[in-house]
Amino acid sequence: MTDKKKVDFDALQADSPPARSLTLFGRDLSQMPCFRNSFLYGISLGMAVGFLAFMKTSRPQMSTHIGFGTFVGTTLCYWFPCRYNWSKQQREADMLQHLMQQQAMYEGSAKERELDQKAERA
């Protein structure tokens, strides 16, 4: 019979280097919703517009300013609507969770029958 080796997955994970993350003001930016997409769109569009401005004008300083301004504008224009929609979805999810907890609490009680009667009258 052959002895099968048991692999200790915890030991393997302990040997791996820790994942690095970028923190700003004590907050992990990789865990922040909308951060990655807004910066990727901003960087790519800023580089493209800066390159096109350089190709058109052949003035490196001006094209750098145009590229950086495009980066900042794109990042902000993507960040704020994305965060607004994320916050709205979070509020709706919290409200739904609260209502589901109330439903579970009232299920089969006199309070549920009272609420059902009110709903039928309305």
Side-chain angles (χ1 to χ4, degrees):
M1 297 201 149
T2 59
D3 290 329
K4 292 185 178 180
K5 281 188 167 181
K6 288 189 176 182
V7 177
D8 188 11
F9 289 108
D10 293 331
L12 290 175
Q13 290 176 354
D15 292 341
S16 64
R20 286 197 248 167
S21 62
L22 181 63
T23 55
L24 181 67
F25 302 120
R27 224 171 146 188
D28 186 9
L29 294 180
S30 66
Q31 301 299 319
M32 194 178 297
C34 303
F35 177 81
R36 181 178 179 268
N37 286 344
S38 62
F39 272 83
L40 283 176
Y41 289 142
I43 289 169
S44 59
L45 201 60
M47 286 178 62
V49 169
F51 179 72
L52 290 175
F54 177 73
M55 295 303 288
K56 179 151 177 70
T57 63
S58 297
R59 295 176 61 194
Q61 186 176 12
M62 187 178 80
S63 61
T64 304
H65 290 312
I66 290 171
F68 185 74
T70 303
F71 159 72
V72 170
T74 304
T75 302
L76 293 177
C77 287
Y78 187 83
W79 172 268
F80 287 112
C82 182
R83 285 296 289 197
Y84 173 75
N85 289 331
W86 180 81
S87 297
K88 193 167 79 171
Q89 289 173 353
Q90 283 295 111
R91 272 194 308 273
E92 290 172 356
D94 290 343
M95 186 186 328
L96 182 62
Q97 182 180 7
H98 176 72
L99 291 173
M100 288 174 65
Q101 287 173 350
Q102 279 186 340
Q103 174 64 29
M105 194 169 57
Y106 292 148
E107 191 171 353
S109 67
K111 181 74 172 176
E112 182 187 29
R113 287 187 291 277
E114 178 185 321
L115 290 172
D116 286 341
Q117 289 173 357
K118 282 183 182 178
E120 288 174 5
R121 281 187 255 149

